[in-house]
Amino acid sequence: MLSYRHAFHAGNHADVLKHLILIQIAEYMGEKPAPFWIIDTHAGAGRYALESAHASKLGEYRDGVGRLWEAKGLPPAAQNYLDFVKMLNPDGQLRHYPGSPWLASQLLRESDRLRLYELHSTDLKLLQECFKTAGRQVTVNASDGFVGLKAILPPPPRRALVLIDPSYETKSDYSNVVKGLQEALKRFATGTYALWYPMLSKLESRQLPGKLKGLGATNWLHATLEVCAPSKDGFGMNGSGMFIINPPWTLEKKLHETLPQLAKLLAQGDGAKYTLESQSA
């Protein structure tokens, strides 16, 4: 039974990190004339109403995108991210938050394609509604994203960004992302893969970065953003990470410029910090 709904967490600090990086990668890919695909393995609803019962129950967006909403002097990459969020809120009030599918769709050119996968029946309907007029450029698939990758890779244009961000509600999610990436790299070694993960006290979460580094990719970038120290009781998510395989060469510099200020703006207590490490051939 699928129970996870991203609507409870839309716009939180983890979304800020994930979506800022998604935008940077997709914009870079769009600078070259050749077409590219964006493939989202766990797409969610597409966009979220922050005043809905789900989003307002926890109100996590207030300590995420809400902290940036009126901030001045943001680094360019953070301002760029915020400008996309403001596109969905033209009246100047933060009422809606774009999920990765909506953001990805805004970054496509006519020749580019977006392939979305979602299994939760409620989110699937919302996702289909979000893109009902998108035509052939956007395909919404009611299937497991890891299974979908096996069928879709390599994509016809041989250029693609694959975003992987499951809920990590079960232990199998951790092994599935490692196995899924391993198989994807065999099919499409030159693709750009952006994997998000939560920073939790559980062993699977703490071991995941090492397993990702062990996949054998020669070019990778690993960014983390913690908004507080881990809780003493071991519960809750104190930060998140993005592991990018074959990142744009420009991304590391952009994150060096951006993460220090994000760590300050999004801090929820002692222990707020960021890390950035990379390997290149």
Side-chain angles (χ1 to χ4, degrees):
M1 175 65 71
L2 290 165
S3 60
Y4 178 83
R5 300 291 306 283
H6 190 69
F8 287 105
H9 313 287
N12 68 359
H13 59 85
D15 268 359
V16 173
L17 178 67
K18 175 173 63 180
H19 292 150
L20 184 151
I21 288 175
L22 166 65
I23 291 167
Q24 288 298 311
I25 297 174
E27 286 190 335
Y28 176 84
M29 295 183 77
E31 291 176 2
K32 297 181 180 180
F36 68 93
W37 286 20
I38 298 179
I39 302 165
D40 192 337
T41 62
H42 299 77
R47 59 190 176 205
Y48 303 91
L50 296 177
E51 294 175 345
S52 70
H54 289 105
S56 59
K57 183 176 181 179
L58 299 177
E60 291 186 11
Y61 71 91
R62 297 187 185 95
D63 286 325
V65 66
R67 298 268 191 99
L68 275 61
W69 191 251
E70 300 292 346
K72 305 297 182 184
L74 290 173
Q79 186 61 56
N80 189 22
Y81 153 77
L82 191 60
D83 288 344
F84 277 95
V85 180
K86 289 187 174 182
M87 285 172 59
L88 205 55
N89 297 275
D91 65 352
Q93 300 297 312
L94 181 55
R95 295 192 176 99
H96 303 278
Y97 187 78
S100 51
W102 188 91
L103 287 168
S105 71
Q106 302 304 304
L107 294 157
L108 299 179
R109 302 159 303 176
E110 189 175 347
S111 60
D112 304 325
R113 298 290 180 264
L114 177 60
R115 299 294 179 252
L116 306 171
Y117 295 87
E118 178 55 48
L119 276 173
H120 195 289
S121 58
T122 303
D123 280 351
L124 176 65
K125 291 177 182 177
L126 293 170
L127 190 63
Q128 290 169 332
E129 177 67 20
C130 185
F131 293 104
K132 64 181 180 181
T133 62
R136 295 174 58 190
Q137 189 173 40
V138 180
T139 301
V140 177
N141 302 280
S143 59
D144 183 288
F146 292 121
V147 175
L149 283 182
K150 293 179 182 179
I152 206 171
L153 295 181
R158 295 300 196 274
R159 296 184 72 222
L161 162 61
V162 180
L163 178 65
I164 303 172
D165 63 334
S167 65
Y168 296 96
E169 281 199 311
T170 64
K171 287 184 178 181
S172 62
D173 279 339
Y174 292 91
S175 57
N176 285 342
V177 296
V178 176
K179 183 181 177 182
L181 262 176
Q182 192 172 42
E183 293 178 348
L185 286 167
K186 290 178 182 177
R187 289 177 167 82
F188 185 42
T190 57
T192 296
Y193 299 87
L195 180 126
W196 175 89
Y197 70 92
M199 299 184 75
L200 307 166
S201 61
K202 62 173 61 178
L203 185 63
E204 295 83 9
S205 174
R206 290 187 279 114
Q207 289 181 337
L208 183 59
K211 292 182 177 180
L212 296 172
K213 294 172 188 176
L215 286 172
T218 55
N219 292 294
W220 53 260
L221 182 63
H222 180 216
T224 69
L225 178 64
E226 296 177 70
V227 297
C228 61
S231 63
K232 293 181 179 179
D233 61 12
F235 290 100
M237 179 177 72
N238 67 297
S240 66
M242 288 288 286
F243 193 89
I244 305 103
I245 295 175
N246 299 324
W249 68 272
T250 54
L251 184 58
E252 185 171 10
K253 182 176 184 291
K254 292 284 184 67
L255 292 179
H256 269 301
E257 296 170 351
T258 307
L259 289 176
Q261 195 161 341
L262 279 187
K264 291 178 182 178
L265 283 169
L266 302 181
Q268 296 180 24
D270 294 336
K273 62 181 180 179
Y274 74 95
T275 65
L276 189 60
E277 55 182 338
S278 64
Q279 176 179 290
S280 57

